[in-house]
């Protein structure tokens, strides 16, 4: 019975047949799936995979453009591009990066700073981008690596053009510098526009004109083998070089000012009154911009950042100082323009001024007083009481409106990065910012350029230029022309100007004559810089760093050096046909007439007489006011 049950040839045949059929169906289905996949890949999606296949042997490489050059007004090169060689690692082609760096360090000096920079840059790049592990290789280091390069797949020497500033410290604040693109900048730029480029303008002209200087990236399609070696170039589109800039700047004048300001903290701005072109812009102390191009060391950066003298701070466009008595010619002109005074009117100075019904005394720098003065006398002798009275008569609203026409209280709009606008205080400003009402005494303080009233050296120079040409205010400009290096086509920048409303040429001329007497008059506060060859008009200023009490006297010998008054001077020359306007501010320089005015005289001599500037002698005490 058991044998009959398990011995069933027919059943076994049927079972075998079913299994064969099932296996055949499964095989047919699998084959159909393979065929369908092949049809999908080779017929319907062939273009996509052909492209991927091409990418395995064809690579698109960006061709970075050459950055535009920067020249001074006489075509002296101020910003150049020089070749530099770096050692780069392509992370996607290196199995053990740490081991590779250790092996490289036995051939080439690689320190901790290099390693830290590599890790930081590595996070910003794709796996198959080259990341520098050592910058600025010497010829010996390049030769040593070339001998052993076969041991380091994924490591290469990369040649590029880096920015170089031939005049270093002398142009650091005006040109600015380029540096490696950081993460924050990567978020705002177009990555395709900076493919193959690692640098961008950080400050100054380099930042303001980044779009013009950068140029346009090119590309090339190259055929590579399995090891990534380039076999041939299939297609190429050359990059477009950045445009060159020609500045109004005179590098000889710039260097002369740097010598005149040696050892001082402050700023000097010189402007052409006929165009608004900036002839020189100096902030001291400065720094070597070349340190930043390929990454400044931590030690060097900390030394600059933490220096008490603030060498990284551009005082010319960001320094905000009380204008002090340099504002008095403008206040005097405002009084004439508004009808508050005439040239014949006199105001009495008895050494102090009191507002009606108030006991507080607003003192003059001359404790015994000046007696009765006209506006001309008051400018020449820099009488504080005269301008207290005039400011009180005009009122803060008229004062603010008139001074705003000269550019005070707002940015000048110069084609330069990171400018600040100073502060022209108003009742509305005080209520908004400090939550307190405006007091009549504050109007008096504005009248002598103190208190909350702040200007930048650039603003002061631009206003002085407007005074020089009797009321045409030119917006300051750094760039004179933009030049296409490939075509030679030159685009000249356009001047932007407005007229300052003052009725009558005599009012302008009268204030200019008063400023001339500041230098040429026997009682002028800047008479020590009188020039027999060139007639100079100017105005001194001495800005308080801290407030002195009613009953106190300022004793310079007992005041710490960094708490002493700032020295200011504005000037233009020649008076008959002005070609240069200058603003000088020397921090803690004590007196405008003895410290700042001689520097302005040297600036004018350098530009108009082409005399070499030597550092001025130590200042003496100023006998008469500012």
């Amino acid at each position: 019975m058991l044998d009959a049950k398990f011995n069933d040839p027919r059943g076994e045949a049927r079972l075998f047949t079913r299994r064969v059929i099932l296996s055949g169906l499964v095989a047919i289905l699998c084959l159909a799936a393979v065929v369908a996949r092949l049809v999908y890949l080779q017929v319907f999606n062939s273009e996509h995979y052909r492209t991927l296949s091409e990418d395995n042997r064809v690579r698109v490489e960006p061709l970075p453009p050459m950055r535009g050059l920067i020249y001074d007004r006489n075509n002296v090169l101020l910003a150049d591009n020089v070749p530099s060689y770096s050692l780069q690692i392509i992370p996607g082609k290196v199995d053990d990066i740490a081991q590779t760096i250790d092996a490289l360090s036995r051939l080439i000096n690689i320190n901790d700073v290099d390693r830290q920079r590599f890790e930081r840059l590595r996070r910003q790049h794709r796996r198959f981008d080259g990341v520098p592990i050592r910058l600025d290789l010497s010829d010996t280091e390049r030769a040593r690596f070339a001998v052993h390069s076969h041991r380091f797949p994924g490591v290469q020497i990369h040649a590029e053009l880096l920015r170089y500033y031939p005049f270093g410290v002398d142009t650091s604040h005006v040109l600015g510098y380029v540096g490696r693109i950081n993460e924050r900048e990567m978020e705002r730029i177009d990555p395709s526009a900076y493919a193959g480029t690692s640098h961008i303008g950080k400050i100054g002209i380099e930042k303001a004109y980044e779009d013009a200087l950068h140029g346009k990236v090119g590309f090339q399609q190259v055929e590579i083998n399995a090891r990534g070696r380039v076999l041939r170039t299939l297609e190429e589109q050359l990059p477009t070089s950045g445009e060159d800039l020609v500045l109004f700047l005179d590098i000889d004048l710039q260097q002369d000012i740097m010598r005149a300001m040696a050892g001082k903290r402050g700023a000097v701005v010189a402007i052409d009154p006929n165009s608004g072109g900036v002839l020189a812009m100096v902030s001291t102390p400065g720094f070597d911009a070349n340190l930043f191009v390929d990454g400044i060391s931590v030690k060097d950066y900390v030394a600059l950042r933490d220096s008490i003298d603030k060498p990284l701070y551009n005082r010319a466009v960001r320094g905000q100082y009380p204008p002090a008595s340099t504002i008095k010619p403008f206040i005097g002109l405002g009084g004439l323009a508004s009808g508050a005074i005439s040239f014949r009117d006199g105001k009495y100075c008895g050494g102090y001024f009191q507002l009606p019904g108030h006991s507080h005394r607003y003192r003059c720098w001359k404790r015994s007083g000046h007696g009765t003065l006209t506006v001309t006398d008051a400018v020449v002798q820099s009488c504080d009481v005269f301008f207290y009275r005039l400011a009180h008569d005009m009122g803060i609203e008229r004062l603010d409106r008139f001074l705003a026409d000269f550019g005070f209280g707002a940015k000048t709009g110069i084609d330069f990065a990171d400018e600040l606008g100073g502060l022209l205080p108003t009742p509305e400003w005080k209520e908004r910012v400090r939550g307190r009402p405006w007091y009549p005494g504050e109007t008096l303080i504005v009248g002598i350029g103190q208190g909350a009233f702040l200007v930048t050296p650039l603003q002061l120079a631009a206003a002085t230029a407007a005074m020089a040409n009797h009321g045409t205010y030119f917006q300051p400009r750094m760039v004179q022309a933009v030049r296409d290096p490939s075509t030679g086509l030159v685009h000249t920048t356009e001047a932007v100007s407005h007229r300052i409303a003052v009725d009558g040429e005599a009012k302008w001329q009268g204030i200019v004559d008063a400023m001339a007497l500041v230098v040429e008059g026997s009682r002028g506060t800047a008479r020590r810089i009188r020039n027999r060859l060139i007639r100079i008009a100017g105005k001194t200023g001495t800005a308080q760093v801290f407030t002195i009490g009613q009953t106190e006297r300022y004793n310079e010998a007992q005041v710490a050096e960094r708490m002493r008054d700032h020295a200011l001077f504005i000037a233009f020359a020649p008076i008959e046909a002005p070609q240069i306007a200058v603003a000088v501010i020397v921090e803690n320089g004590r007196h405008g007439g003895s410290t700042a005015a001689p520097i302005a005289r040297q600036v004018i001599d350098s530009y108009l007489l082409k005399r070499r500037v030597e550092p001025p002698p130590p200042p003496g005490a100023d006998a008469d006011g500012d």
Side-chain angles (χ1 to χ4, degrees):
M1 295 294 291
L2 290 172
D3 289 339
K5 182 177 179 180
F6 289 101
N7 188 10
D8 185 5
R10 293 176 124 185
E12 291 177 355
R14 287 195 300 272
L15 179 61
F16 178 78
T17 300
R18 285 198 298 270
R19 288 178 176 175
V20 168
I21 292 172
L22 182 61
S23 298
L25 289 173
V26 171
I28 291 171
L29 289 174
C30 289
L31 180 61
V34 171
V35 171
R37 181 63 177 167
L38 288 173
V39 171
Y40 172 77
L41 293 176
Q42 296 188 24
V43 177
F44 296 105
N45 214 18
S46 62
E47 190 65 31
H48 172 69
Y49 288 98
R50 186 180 297 113
T51 300
L52 293 180
S53 177
E54 285 290 311
D55 285 346
N56 288 331
R57 70 177 187 89
V58 176
R59 185 171 65 201
V60 177
E61 295 183 337
L63 297 175
M66 186 173 78
R67 194 169 181 86
L69 306 178
I70 303 177
Y71 297 87
D72 88 332
R73 66 190 296 114
N74 299 310
N75 279 318
V76 176
L77 187 60
L78 305 179
D80 197 3
N81 299 311
V82 296
S84 178
Y85 300 90
S86 62
L87 190 65
Q88 294 191 347
I89 297 175
I90 302 175
K93 294 184 178 181
V94 177
D95 295 331
D96 191 330
I97 291 178
Q99 182 180 353
T100 298
I101 293 176
D102 289 340
L104 286 169
S105 65
R106 289 190 282 272
L107 285 177
I108 294 171
N109 180 36
I110 298 175
N111 57 36
D112 291 340
V113 173
D114 296 324
R115 294 172 186 260
Q116 292 167 7
R117 181 181 56 244
F118 173 81
E119 290 301 328
R120 185 178 70 253
L121 294 175
R122 180 183 170 189
R123 293 192 294 269
Q124 300 174 12
H125 290 76
R126 295 169 298 183
R127 291 183 62 247
F128 288 93
D129 287 342
V131 181
I133 182 64
R134 243 303 301 279
L135 306 171
D136 196 22
L137 295 174
S138 66
D139 292 342
T140 302
E141 289 171 325
R142 284 159 45 207
R144 191 180 299 141
F145 175 78
V147 172
H148 298 274
S149 60
H150 63 281
R151 296 168 43 202
F152 300 98
V155 182
Q156 62 187 13
I157 289 178
H158 176 70
E160 63 180 331
L161 290 174
L162 287 185
R163 206 57 151 176
Y164 174 65
Y165 303 101
F167 295 95
V169 177
D170 292 347
T171 57
S172 57
H173 282 296
V174 62
L175 297 182
Y177 57 83
V178 299
R180 291 192 173 273
I181 301 171
N182 58 38
E183 294 179 4
R184 186 173 57 195
E185 290 161 339
M186 284 294 294
E187 294 175 357
R188 65 176 176 80
I189 64 175
D190 179 0
S192 63
Y194 282 82
T197 304
S198 57
H199 290 72
I200 194 170
K202 298 287 187 176
I203 62 172
I205 291 291
E206 292 278 23
K207 179 180 179 180
Y209 280 84
E210 171 64 23
D211 291 343
L213 290 166
H214 175 62
K216 185 178 180 181
V217 176
F219 71 88
Q220 61 178 3
Q221 284 188 343
V222 295
E223 185 177 4
I224 58 174
N225 60 18
R227 302 182 66 179
R229 182 178 179 181
V230 176
L231 301 177
R232 61 182 175 133
T233 300
L234 302 176
E235 184 181 352
E236 184 176 61
Q237 180 176 312
L238 296 176
T240 302
S241 296
E243 295 176 305
D244 297 338
L245 304 181
V246 180
L247 308 185
F248 285 97
L249 192 87
D250 185 319
I251 189 58
D252 291 336
L253 179 63
Q254 182 85 3
Q255 289 187 296
D256 279 346
I257 296 174
M258 288 294 292
R259 281 191 286 271
M261 290 288 288
K264 298 178 177 65
R265 299 179 302 276
V268 178
V269 178
I271 289 180
D272 179 356
N274 303 296
S275 65
V278 175
L279 303 172
M281 180 187 287
V282 166
S283 175
T284 55
F287 61 94
D288 186 356
N290 292 302
L291 293 173
F292 287 84
V293 173
D294 225 4
I296 188 170
S297 70
V298 174
K299 179 181 177 182
D300 288 340
Y301 179 72
V302 169
L304 289 171
R305 183 196 64 191
D306 296 343
S307 170
I308 192 173
D309 292 330
K310 294 182 168 45
L312 296 177
Y313 190 65
N314 189 345
R315 292 164 164 85
V317 296
R318 296 184 64 79
Q320 299 181 94
Y321 307 87
S325 293
T326 61
I327 205 67
K328 289 174 180 175
F330 303 97
I331 301 289
L333 182 64
L336 294 168
S338 65
I341 55 168
S342 72
F343 282 111
R344 295 185 300 274
D345 293 338
K347 292 184 182 295
Y348 178 74
C349 169
Y352 63 88
F353 174 72
Q354 290 177 290
L355 287 166
H358 292 75
S359 61
H360 184 87
R361 293 184 174 186
Y362 297 87
R363 297 189 181 279
C364 186
W365 67 265
K366 187 175 182 180
R367 293 272 175 158
S368 61
H370 291 92
T372 301
L373 300 174
T374 64
V375 65
T376 301
D377 299 327
V379 170
V380 174
Q381 298 181 48
S382 201
C383 174
D384 292 333
V385 169
F386 182 96
F387 290 97
Y388 290 147
R389 293 183 183 277
L390 179 55
H392 178 63
D393 292 344
M394 289 183 66
I396 190 61
E397 289 79 12
R398 283 199 293 183
L399 270 176
D400 282 340
R401 284 197 302 270
F402 188 76
L403 292 174
D405 276 349
F406 280 93
F408 295 115
K411 295 180 180 180
T412 65
I414 189 174
D415 50 342
F416 194 82
D418 305 321
E419 178 194 11
L420 293 181
L423 174 62
L424 183 57
T426 65
E428 294 75 21
W429 163 82
K430 189 180 179 188
E431 180 67 35
R432 183 179 70 254
V433 174
R434 298 184 178 176
R436 299 175 64 186
W438 184 265
Y439 299 111
E442 293 175 283
T443 303
L444 309 188
I445 301 304
V446 169
I448 63 165
Q450 300 281 2
F453 192 1
L454 300 173
V455 301
T456 67
L458 175 65
Q459 285 179 321
L460 205 51
T464 304
M467 181 69 78
N469 58 37
H470 293 202
T472 300
Y473 179 94
F474 284 100
Q475 180 175 295
R477 290 181 290 161
M478 298 297 307
V479 174
Q480 183 176 173
V482 179
R483 185 166 58 203
D484 188 328
S486 60
T487 64
L489 196 64
V490 176
H491 170 69
T492 303
T493 60
E494 295 184 5
V496 177
S497 65
H498 69 264
R499 284 292 300 174
I500 298 170
V502 175
D503 293 334
E505 175 66 16
K507 294 173 184 175
W508 288 104
Q509 190 60 51
I511 294 297
V512 168
D513 290 343
M515 293 177 70
L517 288 171
V518 169
V519 177
E520 299 175 346
S522 61
R523 305 190 72 177
T525 54
R527 58 186 180 275
R528 63 184 296 169
I529 70 163
R530 185 183 306 172
N531 191 327
R532 290 194 302 268
L533 299 177
I534 301 171
R535 293 192 67 207
I536 301 172
K539 183 68 191 80
T540 54
T542 302
Q544 291 181 350
V545 175
F546 65 95
T547 303
I548 302 173
Q550 275 278 285
T551 60
E552 297 176 343
R553 285 180 177 268
Y554 178 77
N555 189 336
E556 188 175 277
Q558 297 178 358
V559 176
E561 188 269 338
R562 291 178 185 270
M563 293 301 292
R564 291 174 180 168
D565 295 340
H566 298 323
L568 298 89
F569 189 69
I570 59 172
F572 58 87
I575 293 176
E576 300 80 7
Q579 298 176 43
I580 183 172
V582 184
V584 179
I585 294 180
V586 180
E587 292 182 4
N588 314 117
R590 301 186 296 176
H591 305 286
S594 59
T595 303
I599 293 173
R601 162 70 188 270
Q602 289 181 309
V603 173
I604 291 168
D605 283 358
S606 171
Y607 186 67
L608 298 180
L609 302 178
K610 305 303 178 187
R611 288 180 175 173
R612 182 180 173 83
V613 165
E614 300 297 338
D622 207 2
D624 296 308
D626 300 300

